[in-house]
Every structure is written in structure tokens, then in C-alpha cells.
Amino acid sequence: MKLTFNNTNASLRVLLENEGFVFPCNGKGLCGRCRIIAPDLPITDKDRTFIPSDDLKKGVRLACDKVIDGEITIDCLLEKRTEKVSKVSEGDAYVVFEEDRSLVGLIADGEIVEELVLPSVDTDFRSLRAFAQRETIELYEKYGLAKATVMLLAGTPQKITECTGIIEEYDYVNTVEANLFDMPSEEVCLLPKPTALIGGDLLLEVLGRAEGTMVVKGSYFAFIGDTELYCARVIPNLNNPATYVATLAYFIKRFNPATALYVGANVIAANAGLRSSESLVTKNVVNVLSSNRQKAKLERLAKKVVELSLADDEDWQNLLTEISK
Ligand code: FES
């Protein structure tokens, strides 16, 4: 929808919200989905981290970090808030605890009814569980649903351990009575937690991507091989990014990926020439909840996980020394 504004030093997010447009992560810069076409607006770091360079050239920008000063016409690709909420009689819910954000959603008839992209939650079991209960119940109330049939729960191993109390690793989909975890649904579907560092959040990001693809997301690195899914985790430190840069270089050198992608805001990966990719997490949540074939595919993926111990790898050490010089 084309819109013209003539304002002084005004937040574009506020202007668009006043027009009824909805910002998926409330303008927190976490989702990369508040897209507009506005070639006249300068490209920001946030644009570069979420939007592929071809689209940037066509004028695609994010709306939530822009300030308008003077007259400008934009094409807004965001959805407007629908005032009439259609009620749902049966549905599934999901909560995915990622590193820097939490996804909460409601699904009915294989379609997302609503998804909330919220900031990351503290890792202690009371706040994680209370968060999942509170946010899903609010969605149920909004759509007139008494209770979800299944609630899918996935996340980093640490957060899933904190939320459920399950310490051991497992590489299968586990469906249990919801009252075991005090969740507002009939059943809880726990996604695999194949190693101490690799959890269902990464599997949801990788599921369905082609063999030979490298994916970088936050502190996760993954390469999809034909028989193995090689994974590593390195926390990016913007003051001293050497270990992170060395891990990027290591994955590219060792696996020679056919495609190298990053998901979410990641200046280091963007500078290393990786291509920005939309997150597949939501799409795969729907796939896994609606298809046993996809569930089986996810389990096969979990069994392929090989966690790399980079600190013990001579090649990685050499790259780190070279990069640190
Ligand atoms: S609303 Fe999520 S990045 Fe702008």
C-alpha cells in the first residue's frame, strides 16, 4: 500500500502503527519482517543484516528503525491489524525459545492464526514456564479457544532443560501429557535436544534446507552434509570477534558449502559475504505439527548431529591465530 508522509523527525514505525499496520516483533529489530519499499531512505546496518543486497538495490528497507524528515512516499508491505478476530474451536500452540527472541503462536487448520515475536526470556524455570503459560493463554482468550490440543516446545538445550527439568539429551520427538509440565494444552510435543549445545531451535531452522548448505544464526554454525549435520556454537563477541570469524572461515574452508546463509541480524556474517535468509522456524513448526513425515525427517536430522569441538581442532586454531594477528 502506497503512503505519503510529510513529517519532521518522526518515527516511521509510529506513523505506520497509527495507520493500523502491525510490526511482527513490535519494532524491536528481531524479525526482519517489517518491510517497505522506499529507495529514497538510506540503507541502515539493520537493513543490511536482514535484506539481501538485490532487494536493497530495489529499494526494500525495514520500517522499524527509520526516521522520516520531510516528504516521502513509501510502499508498505506490512499487514494491517484486522479488527474482527475469527474464533478458533480447535488449534495447536507453540513456544520456541531462541537465543535472542521467543516465538509464540497459535495454529488452526494448518495455518498460523497469530504469531508473536517477543524478546528472549530469562533462563530460569519459573519465568520460562510462566512465560509459555501466560502468552499462550492470552492467545487462546483472544481467539476463543479453551485449550490447545498440542503445544510444541522447542529451544536451546539450556532453555528446554530449564523449562521442563529434562537434563538428558534426546534425538527424538517426545509427546507427553501436558500436565507433566503444567502447560495449557492436552499434550506437549518436545522437539529433540541432540547435544548439550544443539537444540530443537536449530533443527527447526535447518529442516528442509538443501544438503551442502551452511547456516549461521546467532552463535550457531551448521553445515548440512549427506550423512551428518555438523554443528558448533561460538558466542559472537563484538569487541573481539576473532573466534567467531575463525569459525566462519573454518566452516567455509572445511565444508566448501554450495550455499552459505545467515539468519537474523548478523553483521559479521554479512561482512563475510554470507547471504541473508528468512528464518524457516515458523514454517517448520507448522510442518512438524501437521505431518508425521516432517516429524520423522526432523528426527533423522537430529540423529545426524555432530557437535564439533573447535578448540581441539588444529585447523581452527591456525585460522584463529592468523585472524588474531
Ligand atoms: S518489526 Fe521486527 S525487525 Fe522491524
Side-chain angles (χ1 to χ4, degrees):
M1 177 190 243
K2 286 226 163 57
L3 297 153
T4 301
F5 296 107
N6 192 353
N7 297 74
T8 309
N9 207 15
S11 153
L12 182 56
R13 179 177 64 79
V14 173
L15 294 173
L16 289 173
E17 279 179 341
N18 290 344
E19 296 288 329
F21 290 98
V22 181
F23 283 72
C25 72
N26 290 328
K28 293 193 171 67
L30 299 168
C31 66
R33 282 159 50 186
C34 54
R35 306 223 170 163
I36 53 171
I37 301 176
D40 294 340
L41 286 176
I43 298 169
T44 60
D45 284 347
K46 194 80 59 197
D47 292 327
R48 277 194 201 91
T49 54
F50 283 111
I51 301 171
S53 54
D54 283 358
D55 288 345
L56 287 174
K57 281 183 205 143
K58 290 179 198 148
V60 179
R61 307 281 185 269
L62 297 183
C64 67
D65 67 339
K66 302 297 182 296
V67 172
I68 299 301
D69 208 5
E71 187 174 324
I72 186 159
T73 298
I74 65 158
D75 193 357
C76 184
L77 308 179
L78 281 162
E79 304 255 314
K80 278 212 175 195
R81 183 174 297 109
T82 42
E83 294 308 336
K84 250 181 77 218
V85 168
S86 27
K87 299 294 175 195
V88 167
S89 57
E90 240 179 75
D92 295 328
Y94 60 92
V95 179
V96 182
F97 296 112
E98 299 190 320
E99 289 180 310
D100 60 348
R101 60 176 197 169
S102 310
L103 301 180
V104 178
L106 187 61
I107 300 171
D109 296 326
E111 303 272 345
I112 302 278
V113 177
E114 183 167 342
E115 179 179 77
L116 307 169
V117 185
L118 301 161
S120 169
V121 190
D122 289 345
T123 43
D124 81 78
F125 116 90
R126 264 194 196 83
S127 52
L128 286 165
R129 254 189 221 183
F131 172 88
Q133 289 160 343
R134 186 185 63 239
E135 298 296 337
T136 47
I137 287 171
E138 269 181 26
L139 275 184
Y140 301 167
E141 281 171 357
K142 180 169 174 187
Y143 292 95
L145 182 68
K147 203 187 224 189
T149 310
V150 178
M151 181 193 282
L152 179 144
L153 214 48
T156 64
Q158 188 193 5
K159 288 183 180 176
I160 289 301
T161 297
E162 294 290 351
C163 186
T164 62
I166 300 174
I167 295 163
E168 69 270 18
E169 289 140 24
Y170 53 92
D171 54 15
Y172 47 87
V173 178
N174 195 4
T175 303
V176 294
E177 291 278 326
N179 51 17
L180 200 62
F181 304 122
D182 201 16
M183 284 298 167
S185 57
E186 281 160 30
E187 289 182 331
V188 168
C189 173
L190 289 169
L191 292 203
K193 190 173 72 152
T195 77
L197 293 181
I198 309 304
D201 56 331
L202 180 64
L203 298 175
L204 286 170
E205 196 57 79
V206 170
L207 181 68
R209 295 192 191 265
E211 266 175 38
T213 302
M214 168 182 168
V215 182
V216 177
K217 179 177 185 174
S219 66
Y220 282 125
F221 294 76
F223 174 76
I224 309 160
D226 54 351
T227 55
E228 279 160 331
L229 173 65
Y230 297 94
C231 303
R233 273 188 90 184
V234 175
I235 308 293
N237 176 350
L238 290 177
N239 297 324
N240 179 16
T243 47
Y244 198 80
V245 176
T247 309
L248 263 172
Y250 175 88
F251 265 70
I252 290 169
K253 188 172 169 221
R254 173 163 173 185
F255 300 113
N256 189 20
T259 314
L261 307 169
Y262 70 94
V263 180
N266 193 328
V267 178
I268 300 174
N271 289 342
L274 273 67
R275 204 152 48 79
S276 166
S277 164
E278 292 279 345
S279 171
L280 295 190
V281 170
T282 301
K283 181 173 163 240
N284 280 329
V285 165
V286 177
N287 288 343
V288 167
L289 277 172
S290 57
S291 151
N292 284 334
R293 226 180 104 235
Q294 293 292 332
K295 222 177 256 180
K297 247 177 121 176
L298 187 93
E299 288 189 335
R300 283 200 296 280
L301 198 60
K303 291 189 199 326
K304 283 169 68 169
V305 170
V306 174
E307 193 184 296
L308 298 173
S309 169
L310 296 173
D312 303 329
D313 190 299
E314 210 179 306
D315 274 351
W316 184 82
Q317 289 290 358
N318 290 341
L319 281 164
L320 181 61
T321 314
E322 235 168 77
I323 284 159
S324 308
K325 271 183 198 161

